[in-house]
Every structure is written in C-alpha cells, then in structure tokens.
C-alpha cells in the first residue's frame, strides 16, 4: 500500500490506475478498528483500487476538547491497512484539504468554508441539535474528498446512521455519480459498537458501556410484548441504559429510517431506527439499531 500525504503525490498515483477500473473510497478519521476495516474489505470485494483517507476533520467537531483528544495513530493504521490490502492511503494535512485555512481558528475554518448544504431536515433530530454544524462539516469534507478521489463507490458505516443518510442526500443534491454503500455495524463480542472513541474509556466505563447495546436490543422484545407507544418505549430504554450509573443518556429517539423524522405513532411497514447518544464518563458514544 502506498501512503500519500500531499494531493500532488496522491494524484500521480491515481493517474496510474488503468482506464475503466472502478475506484472505491473509504473516508475515515483514523484510529482504525475492525469496523473501519470491514468497510475496506467491502471496497476490496468491488475493486482492488480501494482508497482510504485518514483526516481528522476540524470542521465537523463542535467541541474543541473532543477534537484535541481524538485518537491519532497513523503508524498502526498504516500497518492495519497494509494487512487488509488497501490500494492507497491519503493522509493529508488540513492545508491540503482546506487551502489557506492554517492562519484561522478552527471555528472560523468552518464558517469561512461553509457552503451550506440543504440537508432536507435530515439533521433536525438525532445528532443534529446536539452537534450544531456537525453535519455541514461532514458534508463539506466528504464532498471535498469526492472531488479529490473521484470514486465510483463510497462506503460508510451504518453505525453513523444519520451521517449515512445525509451523505446519500448530499451525493444526490450535488449530482455526484457515486454509489454510496452502507455497511453494517461491527460490534465487540459483548455488543458494544466499535468506535475509535472506545479506547478513551477506562475499564469501569468500558464495562458500563455494554448496557447501551443491551438496552437497545431489549426494545425489540418490549415491542413484541406490546403496549408501548413510541414515547413510552424511548423513555423505558433510556431508563434501562441509565441503570448503569456511569451512563448518562443525551437522547434516545425513534426515527423514520429514511426521513429521520421522529416516529410518534406506530404504523405498519414503516422502517424505524432506534438511535441513542450517551455519555459514558466523559466519552460520548452513539449507536442505533433497526427495529424489527
Ligand atoms: P470515523 O473514523 O469514525 O469517521 O468512521 C469512518 C467510517 O467508518 C464511517 O463511515 C463510520 O460510520 C464507519 N464506522 C465506524 N465505526 C464502525 C463500526 N463499528 N462498524 C462499521 N462501520 C463503522
């Protein structure tokens, strides 16, 4: 695998790909785990020309501590991608992605480069209200990476369900001829969704974190038992999560899987996603499952 840190190196390697070959893109922020690698493997099943990017995008962070503490481990990431068989890694500096931004503060970068995307209310609930500007920052960096890599396919995890929906929306909105593929969430054996942030958990927090997925999974059983309105169900799941004193729920919401609007009444055939954000100690974790 080749690692490029500048766009000019990246472009000269991409120019060597034979005409007619398909290109897959897997954007990440690094600190790679099996969840990321499952995206790479899905990409490699489509084409050997699977490109991974590692860029901790400042414009999608609404909390400067979160940005500062975000794990960065390029050396071991490169080793993982090599053993996976990825074609090329682009690990650019901020200046390569956002030229002329180095002299301005992170928050200003977001404003200066912000070209608001019409997200069609997909950011209205779930993560949206708790992370102002986050999805605009995601849309900004993903479209920038689309322009740089020019892939035929781009792979994203269902772990970030709302992000996946928003990227599909933006891809259509900006007329990219790119197929966006969602990849199922990879979990630890105890059910915790893999995340780069998990390594920030101490051992007591790590143990407590199991209760997030455990409680989400109980929703399907409760539904089968019947008698719960959507509101009662989210309240009950929230309560169950917080039986672990180290967990503090930010939201538990039932959202239509396509429109991401709140589900207020059950209706037959509707695809519904149960979404959660919770603090485990100081670490913010998100997860979601499809109700079945
Ligand atoms: P991140 O590095 O957190 O920005 O994630 C990069 C990509 O990996 C995103 O498309 C995520 O949705 C995806 N991803 C992160 N965690 C997982 C997981 N546990 N399973 C599947 N995909 C994941």
């Amino acid at each position: 695998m080749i690692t490029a840190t500048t766009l000019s190196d990246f472009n000269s390697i991409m120019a060597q790909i034979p005409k007619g070959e398909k290109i897959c893109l897997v954007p990440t922020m690094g600190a790679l785990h099996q969840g990321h690698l499952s995206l790479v493997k899905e990409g490699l099943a489509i084409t050997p020309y699977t490109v991974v990017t590692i860029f901790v995008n400042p414009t999608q962070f609404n909390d400067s501590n979160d940005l500062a503490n975000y794990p960065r481990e390029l050396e071991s990431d490169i080793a993982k991608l090599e053993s996976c068989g990825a074609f090329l890694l682009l690990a650019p500096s901020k200046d390569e992605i956002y030229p002329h931004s180095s002299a301005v503060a992170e928050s200003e970068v977001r404003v200066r480069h912000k070209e608001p995307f019409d997200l069609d209310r997909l950011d209205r609930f779930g993560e949206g209200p708790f992370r102002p500007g986050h999805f605009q920052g995601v849309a900004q960096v993903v479209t920038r990476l689309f322009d740089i890599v020019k892939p035929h396919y781009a792979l994203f995890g269902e772990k970030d369900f709302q992000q996946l929906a928003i990227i599909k929306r933006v891809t259509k909105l900006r007329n990219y001829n790119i197929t966006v593929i969602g990849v199922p969430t990879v979990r630890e054996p105890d059910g915790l969704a893999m995340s780069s942030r998990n390594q920030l958990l101490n051992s007591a927090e790590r143990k407590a974190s199991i209760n997030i997925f455990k409680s989400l999974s109980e929703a399907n059983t409760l539904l089968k038992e019947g008698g719960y309105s959507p509101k009662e169900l989210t309240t009950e799941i929230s309560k169950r999560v917080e039986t672990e004193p180290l967990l503090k729920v930010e939201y538990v919401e039932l959202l239509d899987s396509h429109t991401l609007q709140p589900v207020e009444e059950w209706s037959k055939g509707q695809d519904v996603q149960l979404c959660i954000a919770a603090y485990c100690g100081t670490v913010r974790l998100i997860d979601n499952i499809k109700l079945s």
Side-chain angles (χ1 to χ4, degrees):
M1 187 191 68
I2 308 158
T3 300
T5 55
T6 65
L7 296 191
S8 89
D9 284 355
F10 179 80
N11 289 335
S12 44
I13 297 156
M14 292 298 282
Q16 292 165 25
I17 297 177
K19 274 222 157 61
E21 292 289 350
K22 299 294 184 207
I23 294 164
C24 271
L25 167 65
V26 178
T28 81
M29 298 204 297
L32 301 180
H33 50 66
Q34 288 302 323
H36 295 114
L37 299 184
S38 78
L39 270 60
V40 179
K41 286 173 195 155
E42 291 270 339
L44 287 168
I46 299 171
T47 169
Y49 299 105
T50 293
V51 173
V52 180
T53 60
I54 293 182
F55 179 62
V56 182
N57 173 37
T59 72
Q60 72 188 69
F61 282 80
N62 49 306
D63 174 348
S64 53
N65 280 335
D66 190 24
L67 175 59
N69 294 332
Y70 201 83
R72 291 161 170 88
E73 39 199 58
L74 188 59
E75 286 306 304
S76 68
D77 286 348
I78 290 174
K80 287 173 191 166
L81 292 173
E82 257 165 5
S83 65
C84 236
F87 168 64
L88 172 57
L89 167 65
L90 173 64
S93 68
K94 192 174 69 181
D95 290 350
E96 292 278 337
I97 297 294
Y98 302 124
H100 318 300
S101 66
S102 58
V104 295
E106 304 294 359
S107 56
E108 283 176 89
V109 173
R110 188 187 310 146
V111 175
R112 286 205 189 181
H113 291 263
K114 193 164 152 185
E115 202 188 303
F117 293 84
D118 172 5
L119 301 181
D120 193 24
R121 304 191 305 148
L122 292 170
D123 61 341
R124 197 68 73 77
F125 300 94
E127 289 292 279
F130 295 96
R131 304 194 65 189
H134 168 68
F135 288 119
Q136 289 291 335
V138 167
Q140 177 190 29
V141 76
V142 169
T143 51
R144 179 85 178 104
L145 293 172
F146 281 180
D147 292 338
I148 293 167
V149 179
K150 302 178 185 69
H152 302 88
Y153 300 91
L155 294 103
F156 297 88
E158 289 174 358
K159 152 89 169 25
D160 300 283
F161 192 81
Q162 196 171 10
Q163 167 175 284
L164 173 61
I166 284 172
I167 288 164
K168 284 183 177 166
R169 156 84 188 160
V170 167
T171 303
K172 218 164 147 195
L173 185 72
R174 296 285 161 109
N175 293 315
Y176 285 104
N177 194 10
I178 297 172
T179 305
V180 173
I181 300 173
V183 178
T185 302
V186 178
R187 300 182 178 279
E188 298 289 354
D190 60 21
L192 176 66
M194 289 193 183
S195 162
S196 305
R197 289 187 167 89
N198 293 352
Q199 57 179 276
L200 302 173
L201 301 169
N202 65 30
S203 69
E205 290 164 350
R206 175 64 187 81
K207 246 191 212 157
S209 66
I210 301 170
N211 208 35
I212 297 176
F213 179 64
K214 182 172 168 285
S215 306
L216 287 191
S217 307
E218 288 165 2
N220 278 318
T221 321
L222 293 176
L223 258 190
K224 280 181 194 115
E225 285 168 9
Y228 284 88
S229 69
K231 182 81 203 105
E232 285 162 350
L233 185 67
T234 52
T235 305
E236 177 60 26
I237 299 304
S238 185
K239 255 197 232 154
R240 289 181 181 215
V241 171
E242 289 192 341
T243 55
E244 255 305 337
L246 289 173
L247 292 174
K248 184 91 202 81
V249 168
E250 197 161 61
Y251 65 83
V252 174
E253 286 174 5
L254 282 163
L255 301 179
D256 179 284
S257 308
H258 308 286
T259 63
L260 293 183
Q261 302 309 297
V263 172
E264 269 143 25
E265 271 170 44
W266 302 120
S267 70
K268 213 162 180 254
Q270 186 177 18
D271 292 328
V272 178
Q273 218 72 23
L274 177 59
C275 304
I276 183 169
Y279 277 92
C280 188
T282 57
V283 183
R284 188 174 184 278
L285 300 174
I286 62 168
D287 200 351
N288 71 87
I289 60 164
K290 190 171 172 187
L291 287 193
S292 54

